[in-house]
Amino acid sequence: DQQVKQNSPSLSVQEGRISILNCDYTNSMFDYFLWYKKYPAEGPTFLISISSIKDKNEDGRFTVFLNKSAKHLSLHIVPSQPGDSAVYFCAAVRGANSKLTFGKGITLSVRP
Amino acid sequence: GAGVSQSPSNKVTEKGKDVELRCDPISGHTALYWYRQSLGQGLEFLIYFQGNSAPDKSGLPSDRFSAERTGGSVSTLTIQRTQQEDSAVYLCASSSHRESFGTGELFFGEGSRLTVL
C-alpha cells in the first residue's frame, strides 16, 4: 500500500521557469512532510519540510505547499536551474521519532 | 568522519551467498534507518533503530534479512541466501532524537550497491 505517491516519474522544464513537483498521501495521521533531493551515486539530502499545521513553507527558491483537505503537497522551484536536475523524493512521517515513508521519486531535468 | 559512512560501496555476490552491509552513523545520533532503492523504485523502508527501544522491523521483506545495532552506534544489515531480487542500493541514515520533527532531517550515507548474480 503506497501511502505516499508521486505519480509523475519525470518532469522537464526550461531554465528560469518554475518547476512544480507534486505528491499525494493517503494517511491523514501524517504530521510532517519533507522533500529530499538525490543526485546519482549519492545519498538523498534534505531540502525542505512542512508541518501539518502550516500550509506553506518557503526557503529561497524552494516553496512547499500543503493542502491537507486534498492530502496533497507540492514543491515549487523558481527559478529553476540546471543544477536542480536530480531525483526528488517526497516523504511523510507520523510522530517525532518514527520512520519516514517515501514516495517513488520524480526525476527533474532542467534544460539550459 | 562527519557524515554517515557505509561499506562496502559496491558488492557483487553470487546467488545464495550471505552478505553484510555496514553503517557508521553520525556520532551522537540516536536514530538509525535502513532503506533500499531498487532499480526504478523509490526508497523502501527496511528497519529503524531508536535509542534503546525495540527496533521497528516492519519493513524487512523476508526472514533472510536481519539487522543489528551494537552499542547504539554501528549497524550491520545482513542478507542471508541472497536472491537476484535483493539487488539494490541499500541506504543508511541517521538522525538525532527529536522532540518534534523540526527540520526532520535524516542524514543519508552514499549507499551500498548490491548486485546478486
Side-chain angles (χ1 to χ4, degrees), chain B residues 31-86:
Chain B
L32 187 148
Y33 308 74
W34 283 98
Y35 286 85
R36 74 175 176 181
Q37 185 179 19
S38 304
L39 189 63
Q41 300 297 311
L43 296 175
E44 177 188 4
F45 167 75
L46 297 176
I47 188 169
Y48 164 53
F49 297 90
Q50 172 61 269
N52 295 321
S53 302
D56 178 353
K57 303 180 181 180
S58 60
L60 294 178
S62 77
D63 59 8
R64 296 186 296 106
F65 288 73
S66 63
E68 62 178 24
R69 189 178 184 193
T70 54
S73 181
V74 172
S75 177
T76 302
L77 177 68
T78 302
I79 309 172
Q80 295 178 309
R81 306 181 302 282
T82 52
Q83 303 294 313
Q84 288 182 332
E85 62 262 28
D86 300 334

Side-chain angles (χ1 to χ4, degrees), chain A residues 9-75:
Chain A
S10 63
L11 175 68
S12 180
V13 300
Q14 190 75 38
E15 179 179 8
R17 308 294 284 266
I18 185 171
S19 296
I20 300 176
L21 289 67
N22 293 307
C23 178
D24 297 290
Y25 61 96
T26 58
N27 189 342
S28 59
M29 300 301 292
F30 286 139
D31 54 13
Y32 229 96
F33 304 90
L34 308 95
W35 286 92
Y36 281 76
K37 176 179 179 180
K38 185 181 184 300
Y39 293 117
E42 294 184 10
T45 55
F46 170 75
L47 190 57
I48 193 169
S49 65
I50 187 167
S51 164
S52 61
I53 63 174
K54 296 186 176 180
D55 56 18
K56 177 182 175 181
N57 188 28
E58 188 173 355
D59 183 3
R61 297 185 297 115
F62 303 89
T63 303
V64 56
F65 296 92
L66 176 62
N67 182 335
K68 285 182 63 179
S69 61
K71 295 192 182 68
H72 176 84
L73 64 155
S74 60
L75 174 67

